[in-house]
Structure formats: C-alpha cells, structure tokens
Amino acid sequence: MARDWSDLFITGDADGAAAGDGAAGEREGDGRRGGFFRRLRENLSKTRQALSSEIQATLFQTLDEHTWERLEEALIMADVGAATTAQVVETLEHEASEGGLSSGEALSERLVELLAETASAGEGRIDIRPKPTVILAVGVNGTGKTTTIGKLAWHLQRELGHSVVLGAADTFRAAATEQLEGWARRAQCEIVTGPEGSDPGAVAFDAVAQARSRGVDVAIVDTAGRLHTQEHLMSELTKVRRVIERQLDGAPHETLLTIDATTGQNGLLQAKMFAEAVQVSGVVLTKLDGTARGGIALAIARELGLPVKLIGIGEQLEDLRPFDAQEFARALILQPQE
Ligand SMILES: Nc1nc2c(ncn2[C@@H]2O[C@H](COP(=O)(O)OP(=O)(O)OP(=O)(O)O)[C@@H](O)[C@H]2O)c(=O)[nH]1
Ligand SMILES: [Mg+2]
C-alpha cells in the first residue's frame, strides 16, 4: 500500500523498489510526512468527530454489550459498511474478553489495525514501468476526474520528473478541454485536444501516439462523465478503451475510477456500472473532506474488490494523496495528541 507519492508509482528504479513496508517506518519522523498526516487528520475531521464520541465512550467505559453496540452503530454511520463493522467489532470483543486489550489506548490501536486490514484489495500502487504508461480516467460527472488528472500530472512531471502528456477526450463540453489545458500549464506538460463534439477516441488515439513518438513516460486520458444518455456514455467509454488497446499493446495499463465519497452508497452503484463497462483497476475516492462518512474508503475494497489508490481530501494541489489504509484509519480514529 502506498504511503507517499514515490511509493505510489512502481518505477523500476532501485529506490522505488526499496520503498516497501520496511522503509515506511523509517520515514515516520520525517517532517513533511508529519505535515501530510496533520492535514489528512484535519480534513477528515467531519468523520472523526462523528465517530469520536462513540469511540471514546466505548474505550473508557466498562465494556458491556451496550458499548459494543454503540461502537457498531457509529462505524456503520461512518459508512464503514455492515459486514466490515460486524467482523471488526466481533474480533475486538473477543480479544477484549480474552484480556488481550487492557487499556483504551490498546483497544483503539487494535481498532485502527483491524480497519486497515480490511481495506486492502489487490495492488494499491500504479505501475509506470511500461513506456509509455497509459492511464484512463473514468467516472460520473463532477466526481473529480479532471482535477485528479491535473494533480497526478503535476506530481509526476514536477515532483518526480516523469514526463506526461494529457489527452482531453472529454470533447462533450468545450469547458472540459479548457479546464484540462489549465492543468497542463500548471504541470508544464504536453496536452492533446480535439474540437468540441469531435470523436473522443481520436483524441485518445492521438495522445497515446504522441506519447510514443516523443518518448513521453505517461499518457493520461480524461473522459466525459455525462452524455445524452448513460448507455451512450458507457458505449463511448468502451470505444475509447478499445482505441487505446489497438494503439498500444497492453494499454490502458491503468483505468482509474473516481467516486465522490459524499454520494455514499450511490457512488458504489455507479462504480459497479463503470466496472462492468470498462475494466477498472483502481479507485480514486474524492471529497472525503466534505463528508462525515469517510469510513467508505475502508469499505470500498471489500464492497468492490478494487483497491483505492488515491484519495481527495480537498481542492488544493496537496489534497490528492496516495491512499494508505493504516494512515487513513489512524487519522479517522485516533485523537490528536497535542
Ligand atoms: N472538497 C473537495 N472538492 C473536490 C475534490 N476533488 C475534486 N473536487 C472538486 O469537485 C469539482 C468537480 O471536479 P472535476 O475534476 O471537474 O470533476 P469531473 O469528474 O472531471 O467532472 P466532469 O468533467 O463534469 O465529468 C471541482 O470543483 C473540484 O475542485 C476533493 O477531494 N475535495
Ligand atoms: Mg472533467
């Protein structure tokens, strides 16, 4: 699971490969990481406040049936999911009755651990070893595709030194292309566009072709989130995917689905629909700052069988973060020490 931007991408570089579980602990004291964690905790405050009173009550009262029920309710309210909640609370209850969890602190640490364990499914990182790597972004309109692409491009190009070309295949609205052009300027990367109403497949094709001919490392293709009808959108996305497959063997290497966390269970339904139409390889869960139900990040892997790779916790550049289940669960459950 990725802890940082350099851990998110599999690059084939020696230090990239070394950035596994062992290296992560050593970076704990790093000031930059500490800053990120504080920001994550601040931006998840809505969910944490909703959870904290119940959790604190559970942790510092005599543990009887009633307190476990309250903890269960609080986790379900935070959208952790019924199955995950039942499993986690049952394990905690069992371990507490065995005398393994004597203090409130031990109990909350164990809760974090159990929640984080349930949140992993498949490869949480993004492999950018293929040259070029093609990333396709899909999702319902307004979920944050274009913003996510912009931030990804910025990190790849400006921070990690991997060249990027963007493909503005959301040709449905002229404003969509302008928005992506703005991000290309900020990231100082290349962009391929087409006229409004033109074939999105052609734009995707040209973007991948440009990446190949100019030796660009990563091509990221934006798509529309809404067309005249849903069937129309799904068939268009299937077509864009096929065009990319034909242009480059093995591409798209990554298909990222953005889900707006504030839409809760509806977001999960959308996800199932997209996953059926295009082969989704990972989820970007956005707007976690705007909801008290941030537990959904921990339920999504179980519900969809897809890894959450990135989370959005605000509109700033630094508010798109590689997802780390352990770090996320800590930010959600543990009270600030200060
Ligand atoms: N608070 C908050 N806002 C976000 C986050 N991610 C994206 N947004 C905002 O959500 C809005 C929609 O984002 P877009 O990137 O345009 O969404 P899209 O999926 O490309 O939408 P369409 O192009 O219409 O399909 C923008 O105002 C973003 O700034 C987040 O993590 N937190
Ligand atoms: Mg968009």
Side-chain angles (χ1 to χ4, degrees):
M1 208 144 290
R3 291 182 63 86
D4 218 330
W5 282 97
S6 50
D7 302 336
L8 175 68
F9 298 109
I10 304 174
T11 60
D13 299 344
D15 52 346
D21 292 342
E26 291 158 27
R27 253 178 274 130
E28 228 18 13
D30 183 338
R32 192 169 147 94
R33 277 210 58 80
F36 282 143
F37 184 71
R38 201 169 312 120
R39 192 171 179 84
L40 177 66
R41 199 168 51 196
E42 277 164 18
N43 292 19
L44 291 176
S45 64
K46 284 195 178 162
T47 306
R48 199 182 50 258
Q49 277 158 15
L51 276 172
S52 66
S53 58
E54 297 306 326
I55 288 172
Q56 293 312 308
T58 312
L59 301 183
F60 298 107
Q61 281 175 9
T62 23
L63 300 170
D64 57 22
E65 203 156 300
H66 183 62
T67 44
W68 293 117
E69 267 169 29
R70 282 179 61 187
L71 176 62
E72 215 165 72
E73 270 167 36
L75 291 172
I76 286 174
M77 285 303 290
D79 253 356
V80 168
T84 307
T85 298
Q87 190 198 330
V88 164
V89 174
E90 195 181 306
T91 307
L92 270 184
E93 202 176 339
H94 176 74
E95 290 180 6
S97 71
E98 300 275 288
L101 304 168
S102 45
S103 66
E105 204 179 317
L107 210 127
S108 55
E109 285 287 349
R110 186 70 183 127
L111 175 60
V112 165
E113 229 172 73
L114 289 169
L115 286 173
E117 273 170 24
T118 62
S120 22
E123 175 59 80
R125 295 175 299 166
I126 296 175
D127 190 351
I128 56 166
R129 286 173 299 181
K131 291 285 172 237
T133 296
V134 181
I135 301 175
L136 180 63
V138 300
V140 166
N141 66 299
T143 50
K145 287 179 297 297
T146 307
T147 315
T148 297
I149 291 170
K151 291 171 181 175
L152 254 183
W154 191 91
H155 281 285
L156 278 165
Q157 178 100 32
R158 304 283 297 274
E159 287 213 310
L160 303 171
H162 300 287
S163 55
V164 174
V165 60
L166 300 179
D170 178 0
T171 56
F172 191 60
R173 298 178 300 121
T177 297
E178 286 161 23
Q179 191 189 352
L180 200 66
E181 280 172 334
W183 277 108
R185 278 194 296 276
R186 283 177 87 175
Q188 293 174 8
C189 68
E190 297 174 36
I191 182 167
V192 172
T193 63
E196 185 179 355
S198 66
D199 177 18
V203 176
F205 185 93
D206 290 348
V208 178
Q210 181 159 324
R212 295 185 74 173
S213 67
R214 299 200 191 168
V216 173
D217 299 325
V218 183
I220 314 180
V221 178
D222 192 14
T223 61
R226 178 175 51 195
L227 289 185
H228 305 292
T229 68
Q230 207 164 72
E231 292 74 41
H232 197 150
L233 174 64
M234 291 304 153
S235 75
E236 183 178 286
L237 289 177
T238 314
K239 204 175 119 200
V240 168
R241 193 190 161 92
R242 248 195 334 251
V243 167
I244 294 173
E245 278 167 0
R246 260 189 256 124
Q247 160 69 268
L248 178 64
D249 220 21
H253 306 89
E254 190 78 49
T255 301
L256 294 178
L257 171 69
T258 43
I259 302 178
D260 176 342
T262 62
T263 60
Q265 296 301 312
N266 192 23
L268 290 182
L269 287 178
Q270 292 165 8
K272 285 181 185 140
M273 198 171 68
F274 277 86
E276 277 167 26
V278 282
Q279 293 147 262
V280 174
S281 58
V283 169
V284 182
L285 191 64
T286 59
K287 309 190 193 182
L288 278 162
D289 52 309
T291 175
R293 304 171 77 92
I296 197 160
L298 299 166
I300 236 165
R302 269 181 76 106
E303 298 259 341
L304 298 178
L306 288 171
V308 176
K309 299 201 174 187
L310 290 155
I311 52 170
I313 53 165
E315 297 193 77
Q316 305 299 314
L317 199 50
E318 62 272 28
D319 291 336
L320 182 75
R321 302 269 308 132
F323 178 64
D324 176 68
Q326 183 82 20
E327 180 185 62
F328 187 85
R330 290 183 72 84
L332 216 54
I333 305 292
L334 300 183
Q335 294 301 306
Q337 300 295 304
E338 301 85 12

